[in-house]
Amino acid sequence: MTAKKGLIQRGERRQGLGRKYHSIRRSPKEKMSEASSLDGRWEIHKESQSLPRNSAPTRLHRRRLLTGRPGANHRDSGPPRHVPREMAHACLSPGPVKSSWQ
């Protein structure tokens, strides 16, 4: 089962916008720490609010590489949670041993 193609494409567009506006989005944060007056901070805040919403890194969502479905990825290896188990059952990954107590 795979994710809807529109959701995958929306995520790819957001990644592209995030890369495009990364340096622009970072510069107001640096200016904010240097600003001394509250009015100066408000101006910098307005400047950062003028950027597209979809360029914010918090709007990105991690998706599985093979199916494009969201969530449940292993932090170290990347595949979803059930893939290492399936690989162990199919003897594709070295190390894990399937045990049975019946």
Side-chain angles (χ1 to χ4, degrees):
M1 179 182 253
T2 59
K4 293 181 180 178
K5 291 182 181 179
L7 294 176
I8 295 172
Q9 290 172 352
R10 183 190 312 161
E12 290 172 356
R13 276 192 305 252
R14 285 180 177 167
Q15 284 180 345
L17 280 173
R19 284 191 295 269
K20 180 179 178 181
Y21 288 100
H22 177 72
S23 61
I24 299 171
R25 188 170 283 281
R26 192 172 21 155
S27 64
K29 288 183 180 180
E30 294 169 356
K31 291 178 192 174
M32 186 76 80
S33 63
E34 297 170 0
S36 58
S37 68
L38 188 60
D39 293 331
R41 288 185 180 209
W42 276 110
E43 292 300 320
I44 295 168
H45 181 70
K46 286 180 185 176
E47 181 183 323
S48 66
Q49 290 294 314
S50 66
L51 296 173
R53 278 188 176 185
N54 284 333
S55 67
T58 57
R59 293 178 72 95
L60 292 176
H61 199 281
R62 289 180 56 119
R63 293 194 169 267
R64 298 179 187 165
L65 295 175
L66 298 176
T67 61
R69 298 185 70 198
N73 290 328
H74 272 284
R75 186 181 314 153
D76 300 329
S77 58
R81 59 179 171 73
H82 61 88
V83 170
R85 179 183 170 94
E86 291 174 359
M87 289 174 65
H89 285 294
C91 299
L92 297 175
S93 60
V97 178
K98 183 179 179 293
S99 301
S100 179
W101 289 277
Q102 291 181 344

